[in-house]
Amino acid sequence: MTETIPNNHRRTERSKHAILDATRELLSEGGVRALTVEAVASRSGVAKTTIYRRWRDKWHLALDAVVIDIIPQFAYPADVGDTRKELVVFVDSVVDLLASHLYGPSLQGLVSELSTNPQLARLYREQVVEPRRETLAPIIERGIARGDLRPGTDVRTVHEFLVGPIFYRLLFSGGPLDSGMGTRLVDGILDGLRPD
Amino acid sequence: MTETIPNNHRRTERSKHAILDATRELLSEGGVRALTVEAVASRSGVAKTTIYRRWRDKWHLALDAVVIDIIPQFAYPADVGDTRKELVVFVDSVVDLLASHLYGPSLQGLVSELSTNPQLARLYREQVVEPRRETLAPIIERGIARGDLRPGTDVRTVHEFLVGPIFYRLLFSGGPLDSGMGTRLVDGILDGLRPD
Amino acid sequence: MTETIPNNHRRTERSKHAILDATRELLSEGGVRALTVEAVASRSGVAKTTIYRRWRDKWHLALDAVVIDIIPQFAYPADVGDTRKELVVFVDSVVDLLASHLYGPSLQGLVSELSTNPQLARLYREQVVEPRRETLAPIIERGIARGDLRPGTDVRTVHEFLVGPIFYRLLFSGGPLDSGMGTRLVDGILDGLRPD
Amino acid sequence: MTETIPNNHRRTERSKHAILDATRELLSEGGVRALTVEAVASRSGVAKTTIYRRWRDKWHLALDAVVIDIIPQFAYPADVGDTRKELVVFVDSVVDLLASHLYGPSLQGLVSELSTNPQLARLYREQVVEPRRETLAPIIERGIARGDLRPGTDVRTVHEFLVGPIFYRLLFSGGPLDSGMGTRLVDGILDGLRPD
DNA sequence: GACTAAGCGAGACGGTACGTCGCGTCTTAAA
DNA sequence: TTTAAGACGCGACGTACCGTCTCGCTTAGTC
């Protein structure tokens, strides 16, 4: 047991988990409105000070809590030899996430802070937007190689085309986030609006 | 006969304008963070009570203040005989709005409340989303009639395709809202991603 | 019909009564806490302005409303040939008044304003304290004449001795204001504390 | 062992004193009308929240502030072998208190709330009325033992006889609260009104 | 029988204070 | 040294009544 682990490492980790769990519970119970530093503290049996020691404010905490959860889902999508199918898989994973009880309402509550606080915006872009784009990239590359997509197709643009409408529904139009969205979106984007 | 015209019409209108002006000033100076009912009151020389008499809370006030401004812009777009051009005009008007100093930051600050408070969401949909869709509708109809668009093209879907990516930039990816966006977006949506 | 009555005398009188009635209703329903100028206005079907035109504030209104009621009760007490009995009648009338649903709670709610606002204090003294003392005076005089009371007995002092304890119960000690109080008070004051 | 002594004892005590001092200052400067939680906060350099954390409202605060001051005065009066003198000492202490710049006006302003709010009424009775009665009790007992007072003389009644008139002057008749009152009151009560 | 001025209803308004919520900082004692 | 416990300063919230202010309508008594 000559582990060079710092002094109170164990304790620290334990309280960190308790905090993040409490945060997720509160978020899925009542959205950001229910997310109060005091509520997190009392539910996790931790002092407010301990929370502030590790997170700048409740927004950073919330972002951490919900983002940690979803990072594993960004595994590179399998090459199934069919660009359309691969794109549908990509879009569906986004739809599923935003339709979930934890992530959807959390994001609704976070977005104002996220888009307004530069520090938080940077974090979100680094930890969510870019990883998602990097998940999409190989699909696009394979699609171009296969001749399914126009050469020069830009990942960034495709990404915006595919996820923009989903977020628009979540935040503004209130349209449903159902499982059919993937197909419809991908087909629309692939075919375009012009008649053949 | 029984025209029940409000009693103190003049006074009411005067204070209403003062309040909305102050609201817009504060919003464009410091975004929603600077928008405090107390600040609005003191800047407009109006009592806090007067504000609360007319608006449920600062969110309704903010929505009113920024939305009233833009309603006139939703005039039906001219028929110029070219669907692509008409769509670009539509998209550019949205881009310009979101890129403006007042509307963009206001919307960033409002979106969380907007998507989370059902009452506010309804208002936004009725006063913004739907009018915008009704602006787009005749363009689509003319496009189909001219043979520029696939028969059966759905306004709702096109609307989401066109504005979703813009809002996504404003709120998440931080991409630029420049004047070139209109062309790129419209062409992407019209042509689709498949090679010809 | 050469009455020099002001213009809208009838109307004026009607609204005055409506206001005072509403005031008494509110006072007996919820004490001074329920007495709101707006409540009086809406209940009496009168405009707030009309109320303020006639009374300086709700305290003057309340005083008027409850005092008008009791003035008739200050009839000179009959000479029944028995000073003790006459005093008991006097005290009982005060006890009954303070024990009533309208007057007791009203006075509790009014007393702070009454003792603190000089104008109101003067009114109360002129319209209540002094008339009451003048009711007591002939009893004392007759008592002295009969040899029931010490010559030189001061009305003011006797008045304070008799009513002070009643008000003390109403306002501070919370003791009961029952019908036995009259006898006990009068006997105590007449006999004194010393053994015979 | 488990002495759960409050955590931030020092701080707590400091702010408590500051608050009570400010309260007393405001009360003696302008009576209850000047007693505003916000004024107390700003004068004591304490946050409004801190005040509300410890006192339910400004009435409880006021009661505490003025009552704490007077509790020490309720020491048991010395046995000087003369019932009349002891009673005069008792009455004079009450008169002096009510004649003081802090206590008199404070009580005038408090009495309405005091007699109307059951919780506050209970506090006042427990902390003021009863202790005062217990101060009087041994005087009465000694008086009876000495043969100065009728056997069976009731403390409660004597208390009401003695203090009732004082409060009546303070609150209603506006009579002077001078130092001669003690003698006059006590003699009146001891001798009664009947001729010898 | 129409005219006209006082009085009135309706209710918006500026203002003061209320009591509450949640933030992020701080102090202290115990582990 | 880190933590739990929790008091604190602060800024804003939304509410309750106050007393003042327009503004037309009603309504007598006058012409």
Side-chain angles (χ1 to χ4, degrees):
Chain A
M1 306 299 175
T2 37
E3 294 193 53
T4 6
I5 286 167
N7 209 345
N8 288 334
H9 196 247
R10 217 77 53 79
R11 228 169 145 197
T12 299
E13 277 306 302
R14 221 180 312 131
S15 66
K16 183 172 174 183
H17 273 110
I19 292 167
L20 289 173
D21 284 348
T23 302
R24 276 185 289 262
E25 280 174 39
L26 288 165
L27 279 172
S28 62
E29 282 170 26
V32 168
R33 247 179 272 280
L35 186 69
T36 288
V37 177
E38 257 158 10
V40 173
S42 92
R43 185 175 291 220
S44 63
V46 140
K48 275 204 302 179
T49 336
T50 307
I51 298 174
Y52 280 111
R53 214 171 281 124
R54 225 185 308 269
W55 290 275
R56 163 175 293 270
D57 56 31
K58 73 168 175 174
W59 306 107
H60 285 78
L61 171 57
L63 187 58
D64 242 35
V66 299
V67 156
I68 281 176
D69 244 28
I70 57 160
I71 284 182
Q73 305 193 17
F74 289 162
Y76 270 35
D79 175 351
V80 298
D82 180 339
T83 303
R84 183 176 167 279
K85 276 187 187 155
E86 291 176 23
L87 287 173
V88 169
V89 166
F90 173 83
V91 172
D92 277 347
S93 84
V94 176
V95 171
D96 288 352
L97 195 62
L98 295 197
S100 77
H101 283 320
L102 172 60
Y103 200 83
S106 297
L107 206 72
Q108 290 179 321
L110 275 170
V111 56
S112 280
E113 194 67 23
L114 220 54
S115 65
T116 271
N117 174 334
Q119 199 176 141
L120 219 53
R122 219 202 63 234
L123 278 175
Y124 182 79
R125 261 177 257 135
E126 288 174 4
Q127 297 185 16
V128 182
V129 177
E130 283 160 23
R132 194 123 58 188
R133 224 146 37 200
E134 276 156 29
T135 303
L136 182 60
I139 303 180
I140 303 299
E141 282 163 26
R142 287 197 296 265
I144 295 172
R146 281 185 204 120
D148 291 339
L149 303 176
R150 248 178 247 282
T153 301
D154 177 42
V155 192
R156 190 178 194 111
T157 305
V158 179
H159 184 224
E160 284 175 357
F161 275 142
L162 290 176
V163 305
I166 306 173
F167 282 92
Y168 187 72
R169 284 203 178 176
L170 180 73
L171 301 175
F172 298 101
S173 76
L177 297 179
D178 50 57
S179 50
M181 246 196 131
T183 320
R184 263 177 289 127
L185 255 172
V186 171
D187 285 340
I189 297 294
L190 284 177
D191 297 336
L193 301 179
R194 285 199 225 278
D196 307 305
Chain B
M1 295 277 160
T2 33
E3 284 203 57
T4 326
I5 288 168
N7 218 343
N8 290 346
H9 211 255
R10 218 75 53 76
R11 262 170 116 194
T12 299
E13 280 306 304
R14 219 180 315 130
S15 68
K16 186 173 173 183
H17 271 112
I19 293 166
L20 290 174
D21 283 349
T23 302
R24 277 185 286 263
E25 280 173 39
L26 288 165
L27 279 172
S28 63
E29 281 168 28
V32 168
R33 246 180 276 278
L35 186 69
T36 284
V37 176
E38 271 164 359
V40 173
S42 90
R43 184 175 292 218
S44 63
V46 140
K48 229 170 29 144
T49 342
T50 303
I51 299 174
Y52 281 112
R53 241 173 244 130
R54 224 187 304 269
W55 292 275
R56 165 175 293 272
D57 55 31
K58 72 170 177 175
W59 306 108
H60 284 78
L61 171 57
L63 188 57
D64 242 34
V66 299
V67 156
I68 281 176
D69 246 26
I70 58 162
I71 282 182
Q73 305 192 16
F74 288 162
Y76 271 35
D79 176 350
V80 299
D82 179 340
T83 303
R84 183 176 167 279
K85 277 186 186 155
E86 289 175 23
L87 287 173
V88 169
V89 166
F90 173 83
V91 172
D92 277 347
S93 85
V94 176
V95 171
D96 287 353
L97 195 62
L98 296 197
S100 76
H101 283 319
L102 171 60
Y103 199 83
S106 296
L107 206 71
Q108 290 178 320
L110 274 170
V111 56
S112 281
E113 195 65 23
L114 219 53
S115 64
T116 271
N117 174 335
Q119 203 176 134
L120 219 54
R122 220 203 61 233
L123 279 175
Y124 182 79
R125 262 177 253 138
E126 288 175 5
Q127 298 184 15
V128 183
V129 176
E130 282 161 24
R132 192 122 61 186
R133 238 172 354 224
E134 276 155 30
T135 303
L136 182 59
I139 305 181
I140 304 297
E141 280 164 28
R142 288 196 297 264
I144 295 173
R146 282 184 205 121
D148 291 340
L149 303 177
R150 245 179 250 284
T153 300
D154 178 41
V155 192
R156 192 180 191 108
T157 306
V158 179
H159 183 225
E160 284 175 358
F161 276 142
L162 291 175
V163 305
I166 307 174
F167 283 92
Y168 188 72
R169 284 205 178 176
L170 180 72
L171 302 174
F172 297 102
S173 75
L177 297 179
D178 50 57
S179 51
M181 246 197 130
T183 320
R184 264 178 286 126
L185 254 172
V186 170
D187 285 340
I189 296 294
L190 284 175
D191 298 336
L193 302 178
R194 282 197 227 280
D196 309 306
Chain C
M1 305 296 176
T2 37
E3 293 194 54
T4 3
I5 286 167
N7 210 345
N8 290 335
H9 198 245
R10 214 78 51 77
R11 233 168 143 201
T12 299
E13 276 308 302
R14 221 180 311 130
S15 67
K16 184 171 175 184
H17 272 111
I19 292 167
L20 290 173
D21 284 348
T23 302
R24 277 184 287 264
E25 279 174 39
L26 288 165
L27 279 172
S28 63
E29 282 169 26
V32 168
R33 247 179 273 279
L35 187 69
T36 288
V37 178
E38 259 160 6
V40 173
S42 91
R43 185 175 293 218
S44 62
V46 140
K48 274 204 305 179
T49 336
T50 307
I51 298 173
Y52 280 111
R53 216 171 278 128
R54 223 184 310 267
W55 291 276
R56 162 175 294 270
D57 56 30
K58 73 169 176 174
W59 306 107
H60 285 78
L61 171 58
L63 188 58
D64 241 34
V66 298
V67 157
I68 281 176
D69 244 27
I70 59 161
I71 283 182
Q73 305 192 17
F74 289 161
Y76 270 36
D79 175 351
V80 299
D82 180 338
T83 303
R84 185 178 166 276
K85 276 187 188 155
E86 290 175 22
L87 287 174
V88 169
V89 166
F90 173 83
V91 172
D92 277 347
S93 84
V94 176
V95 171
D96 288 351
L97 195 61
L98 296 197
S100 76
H101 283 319
L102 172 60
Y103 201 82
S106 296
L107 206 71
Q108 290 179 319
L110 274 170
V111 56
S112 281
E113 195 66 23
L114 221 53
S115 64
T116 270
N117 174 334
Q119 199 176 140
L120 218 53
R122 220 202 61 233
L123 278 175
Y124 183 79
R125 260 176 257 137
E126 289 175 4
Q127 299 185 15
V128 183
V129 177
E130 283 161 22
R132 192 123 60 189
R133 233 163 10 214
E134 277 155 31
T135 303
L136 182 59
I139 304 181
I140 304 297
E141 281 165 25
R142 289 196 295 265
I144 295 171
R146 283 182 204 121
D148 291 338
L149 303 176
R150 248 179 248 282
T153 300
D154 177 40
V155 193
R156 191 180 193 106
T157 307
V158 179
H159 183 224
E160 284 175 357
F161 275 142
L162 290 176
V163 306
I166 305 173
F167 282 91
Y168 188 72
R169 284 204 179 177
L170 180 71
L171 300 175
F172 298 102
S173 76
L177 298 179
D178 51 55
S179 51
M181 246 197 129
T183 320
R184 263 178 287 128
L185 253 172
V186 170
D187 285 342
I189 296 295
L190 285 175
D191 297 337
L193 301 179
R194 285 199 225 278
D196 309 304
Chain D
M1 296 277 159
T2 31
E3 284 202 56
T4 326
I5 287 167
N7 216 345
N8 291 345
H9 212 255
R10 217 75 53 75
R11 263 171 116 192
T12 299
E13 280 307 304
R14 220 180 313 132
S15 66
K16 186 173 173 180
H17 271 112
I19 292 166
L20 289 173
D21 284 349
T23 302
R24 277 185 288 262
E25 281 174 37
L26 288 165
L27 279 172
S28 62
E29 282 170 26
V32 168
R33 248 180 273 278
L35 187 68
T36 283
V37 176
E38 270 165 359
V40 174
S42 90
R43 185 175 293 219
S44 63
V46 140
K48 233 176 15 153
T49 343
T50 303
I51 298 174
Y52 281 113
R53 240 172 241 130
R54 225 187 304 269
W55 291 276
R56 163 175 295 272
D57 54 32
K58 73 170 177 177
W59 306 108
H60 284 79
L61 171 58
L63 187 57
D64 242 34
V66 298
V67 156
I68 280 176
D69 246 26
I70 59 162
I71 283 182
Q73 306 193 17
F74 288 161
Y76 270 36
D79 176 350
V80 298
D82 180 337
T83 302
R84 184 178 167 278
K85 276 187 188 158
E86 290 175 22
L87 287 173
V88 169
V89 167
F90 173 83
V91 172
D92 277 347
S93 85
V94 176
V95 171
D96 288 351
L97 195 61
L98 296 198
S100 76
H101 283 318
L102 172 61
Y103 201 83
S106 296
L107 208 71
Q108 290 179 320
L110 273 170
V111 57
S112 280
E113 194 66 24
L114 219 53
S115 64
T116 271
N117 173 336
Q119 202 176 133
L120 218 53
R122 220 202 64 233
L123 279 176
Y124 183 79
R125 262 176 254 136
E126 289 175 4
Q127 297 185 16
V128 182
V129 178
E130 282 160 25
R132 193 122 58 188
R133 228 157 21 209
E134 275 155 32
T135 304
L136 181 60
I139 304 181
I140 304 298
E141 280 165 28
R142 288 197 297 264
I144 295 172
R146 283 183 204 120
D148 291 339
L149 302 177
R150 246 179 250 283
T153 301
D154 177 41
V155 192
R156 192 181 191 109
T157 306
V158 179
H159 182 224
E160 284 175 358
F161 277 142
L162 291 175
V163 306
I166 308 174
F167 282 92
Y168 188 73
R169 285 204 178 176
L170 180 71
L171 301 175
F172 298 102
S173 75
L177 297 179
D178 51 57
S179 50
M181 247 198 130
T183 320
R184 265 179 284 129
L185 253 173
V186 170
D187 285 341
I189 296 294
L190 283 176
D191 298 337
L193 301 179
R194 284 197 226 281
D196 307 307

